[in-house]
């Protein structure tokens, strides 16, 4: 839990912000109020520790450090070098990786670097269909991955809603991709990395695991690691892992040079050294016994919440979850994903509408929602709290917003949410 005293959390710098720019200081405080006053169920969000926030708010932000430790294009980098070296060592140790790069500004930047290391424009990349849980960087036509590369998509099976490994193999044999990507943005189940490795070897493709969502569970040893199987693992540092917003690449030693060159100078300029330092802080936190217990609890909470919502009549895609996230099909309760998102918003429950596999509805009006347990777990909530959240979420989803009775119901749910989060607040006052 992130217990902080107002004094140490904000320190004199926040006083300076309040004095010099009350408008932006107001935004910061209002956002803190929003986090404290409601339930954050966005699967890709979390509540970073005061130590991570301190590194992010430090003067390391000032330093230009193009290049890598001891090989910089600027003077005066000997101090920030230490942050990057410590962070790289921690990442390698935590994940058992031969090489780590902490400079990607985001998960999308990490993915761009992996593409650049292993493929040329026009090459074929095999990845999960966006409509079934793949990410924009896995071949969307509005993204570099779909514009500069030739994406081929695999899907989940209609019956089980699990990845169709036979189809992945067939498509790989047919299209001979340069890269095969395993990993998604809305897939609740474990991925069979050994199966992907076998398919990649058969067709001579590089295996890239986009672990953006679940790397934090791997860090906590709560699910199997892709590192032994993948040529390259890309990740974000701000989801379950609970670090600063940013990206990371782990790879085999043989690919280290190609990956480093693909991050800088190919796709980025100067690294954000405050973010690199904050990643190092988060990686240290992730090596603790407390973090491992948190990672196990994230999954236990996601499973308890999924079960509670199934009891309320919603359908968990693929029958449940092995991870931190659940996709819910709302057709059985006659509500669209958009309606559910708006109603939950009014009840101080933050989540997002999401397409479900083979969704008959268009992407802007999808049939489902995606929910995740990282933030509420960081707040210290456990399975019994999930049962309560499931009940409140269901009441909100089913409330006829815009009618007097529905709006009254949403107000009631909002006050029940306030009472619930008061017992386990985000960023509790010290
Ligand atoms: C699977 C996957 N890859 C990459 C990304 C991109 O991360 P970022 O938003 O940091 O660019 C995301 C973000 O949600 C993701 O889910």
């Amino acid at each position: 839990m992130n217990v902080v005293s107002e004094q140490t959390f904000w320190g004199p710098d926040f006083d300076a912000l309040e004095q010099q720019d009350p408008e932006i200081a107001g935004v910061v405080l209002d956002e803190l109020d929003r986090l404290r006053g409601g339930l954050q169920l966005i699967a890709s969000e979390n509540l970073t520790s005061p130590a991570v926030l301190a590194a992010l708010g430090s003067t390391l932000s000032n330093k230009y450090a193009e290049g890598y430790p001891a090989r910089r294009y600027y003077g005066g980098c000997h101090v920030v070098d230490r942050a990057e070296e410590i962070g790289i060592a921690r990442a390698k140790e935590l994940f058992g990786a031969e090489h780590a790069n902490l400079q990607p500004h985001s998960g999308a930047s990490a993915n761009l670097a992996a593409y650049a290391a292993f493929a040329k424009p026009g090459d074929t990349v095999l990845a999960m269909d966006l409509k079934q849980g793949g990410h924009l960087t896995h071949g969307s036509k509005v993204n570099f991955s779909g514009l500069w590369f030739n994406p081929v998509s695999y899907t989940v099976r209609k019956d089980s809603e699990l990845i169709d490994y036979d189809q992945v193999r067939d498509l790989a044999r047919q299209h001979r991709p340069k890269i095969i990507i395993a990993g998604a943005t809305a897939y609740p189940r474990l991925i069979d990395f050994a199966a992907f490795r076998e398919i990649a070897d058969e067709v001579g493709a590089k295996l890239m695991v986009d672990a953006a969502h679940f790397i934090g569970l791997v860090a906590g040893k709560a699910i199997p690691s892709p590192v032994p199987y993948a040529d390259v693992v890309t990740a974000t540092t701000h989801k379950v892992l609970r670090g600063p917003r940013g990206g990371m690449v782990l790879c085999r030693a043989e690919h280290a040079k190609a990956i480093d060159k693909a991050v800088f100078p190919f796709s980025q300029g100067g690294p954000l050294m405050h973010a690199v330092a904050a990643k190092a802080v988060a990686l240290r936190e992730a090596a603790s016994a407390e973090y491992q217990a948190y990672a196990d609890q994230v999954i236990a909470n996601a499973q308890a919440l999924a079960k509670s919502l199934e009891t309320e009549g919603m359908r968990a895609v693929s029958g449940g979850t092995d991870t931190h996230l659940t996709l819910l099909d709302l057709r059985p309760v006659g509500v669209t994903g958009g309606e559910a998102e708006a109603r939950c918003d009014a009840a101080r429950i933050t989540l997002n509408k999401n397409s479900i596999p083979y969704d008959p509805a268009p992407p802007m009006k999808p049939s489902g929602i995606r929910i995740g347990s990282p933030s509420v777990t960081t707040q210290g909530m456990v399975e019994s709290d999930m049962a309560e959240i499931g009940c409140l979420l269901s009441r909100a989803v089913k409330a006829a917003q815009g009618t007097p009775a529905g709006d009254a119901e949403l107000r009631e749910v909002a006050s029940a949410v306030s009472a619930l989060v008061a017992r386990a607040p985000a960023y509790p006052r010290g």
Side-chain angles (χ1 to χ4, degrees):
M1 242 208 295
N2 295 321
V3 180
V4 290
S5 81
E6 227 49 9
Q7 186 62 35
T8 53
F9 184 27
W10 297 116
D13 296 334
F14 190 72
D15 292 344
L17 181 60
E18 264 188 318
Q19 277 160 23
Q20 287 170 30
D21 194 336
E23 239 179 319
I24 291 298
V27 173
V28 174
L29 288 177
D30 286 351
E31 175 61 4
L32 185 58
D33 275 350
R34 189 189 69 80
L35 289 176
R36 282 172 167 163
L39 285 165
Q40 313 308 322
L41 297 182
I42 304 259
S44 48
E45 293 181 359
N46 213 326
L47 306 164
T48 53
S49 71
V52 167
L53 291 174
L56 276 178
S58 70
T59 57
L60 270 60
S61 169
N62 295 331
K63 190 72 196 91
Y64 242 113
E66 280 179 351
Y68 290 99
R71 289 178 289 130
R72 305 283 191 188
Y73 288 79
Y74 287 81
C77 292
H78 55 288
V79 178
V80 294
D81 271 5
R82 280 173 23 223
E84 191 163 352
E85 282 162 353
I86 291 167
I88 289 169
R90 286 177 183 170
K92 285 164 66 176
E93 167 84 21
L94 184 63
F95 296 107
E98 291 174 1
H99 182 71
N101 188 312
L102 297 186
Q103 292 194 9
H105 301 331
S106 66
S109 305
N111 285 354
L112 171 58
Y115 275 73
F118 298 132
K120 296 260 177 302
D123 282 346
T124 298
V125 175
L126 177 59
M128 189 144 167
D129 191 332
L130 266 63
K131 296 191 292 295
Q132 303 209 344
H135 186 253
L136 276 174
T137 53
H138 299 176
S140 164
K141 286 291 172 207
V142 296
N143 180 265
F144 78 85
S145 55
L147 275 175
W148 295 345
F149 296 88
N150 173 37
V152 175
S153 304
Y154 60 85
T155 58
V156 296
R157 290 172 58 102
K158 263 194 175 142
D159 51 2
S160 60
E161 299 175 310
L162 301 177
I163 291 171
D164 186 343
Y165 293 94
D166 293 334
Q167 186 203 39
V168 176
R169 181 176 287 104
D170 289 346
L171 289 170
R173 284 177 179 161
Q174 189 186 340
H175 295 279
R176 317 293 297 187
K178 273 272 164 39
I179 304 175
I180 299 177
I181 303 179
T185 200
Y187 185 69
R189 294 302 191 171
L190 295 181
I191 295 172
D192 186 346
F193 302 123
F196 269 105
R197 178 74 262 167
E198 209 181 288
I199 295 167
D201 284 344
E202 186 187 324
V203 301
K206 293 285 187 300
L207 177 59
M208 164 179 165
V209 174
D210 181 346
H213 260 270
F214 57 80
I215 194 74
L217 297 176
V218 175
K221 317 274 185 271
I223 63 168
S225 171
V227 170
Y229 300 97
D231 290 283
V232 62
V233 175
T234 57
T236 56
T237 48
H238 50 270
K239 297 189 169 84
V240 184
L241 188 58
R242 208 163 56 185
R245 184 158 296 280
M248 172 172 71
V249 184
L250 307 170
C251 68
R252 296 179 173 181
E254 65 188 284
H255 304 312
K257 226 179 188 166
I259 287 292
D260 283 354
K261 278 164 64 178
V263 174
F264 172 85
F266 179 78
S267 58
Q268 290 190 172
L272 313 175
M273 292 314 297
H274 57 305
V276 169
K279 288 172 195 175
V281 173
L283 290 165
R284 185 176 192 272
E285 291 175 355
S288 67
E290 197 186 359
Y291 180 92
Q292 296 203 359
Y294 147 82
D296 288 334
Q297 190 65 49
V298 164
I299 297 175
N301 281 350
Q303 290 173 339
L305 188 48
K307 199 173 253 177
S308 158
L309 292 169
E310 283 196 309
T311 311
E312 299 287 343
M314 302 169 206
R315 188 183 73 85
V317 168
S318 82
T321 179
D322 304 317
T323 64
H324 61 297
L325 75 86
T326 305
L327 259 187
L328 291 151
D329 177 0
L330 300 184
R331 289 174 300 171
V333 293
V335 178
T336 68
E339 284 166 343
E341 184 184 297
R343 292 171 186 184
C344 285
D345 243 344
R348 298 193 188 159
I349 301 172
T350 306
L351 47 73
N352 63 283
K353 61 178 179 284
N354 216 100
S355 292
I356 56 169
Y358 303 102
D359 202 328
M364 285 315 290
K365 279 189 156 187
S367 302
I369 50 173
R370 186 186 69 162
I371 55 171
S373 56
S375 297
V376 290
T377 306
T378 295
Q379 284 172 243
M381 295 192 194
V382 294
E383 288 93 324
S384 53
D385 299 305
M386 298 307 117
E388 202 174 330
I389 293 176
C391 186
L392 293 172
L393 198 158
S394 169
R395 281 177 60 192
V397 163
K398 293 171 188 167
Q401 195 173 21
T403 67
D407 290 343
E409 171 77 343
L410 289 172
R411 280 194 297 276
E412 260 184 47
V413 175
S415 44
V417 165
S418 297
L420 173 60
V421 296
R423 297 200 317 254
Y427 296 113
R429 292 166 172 86

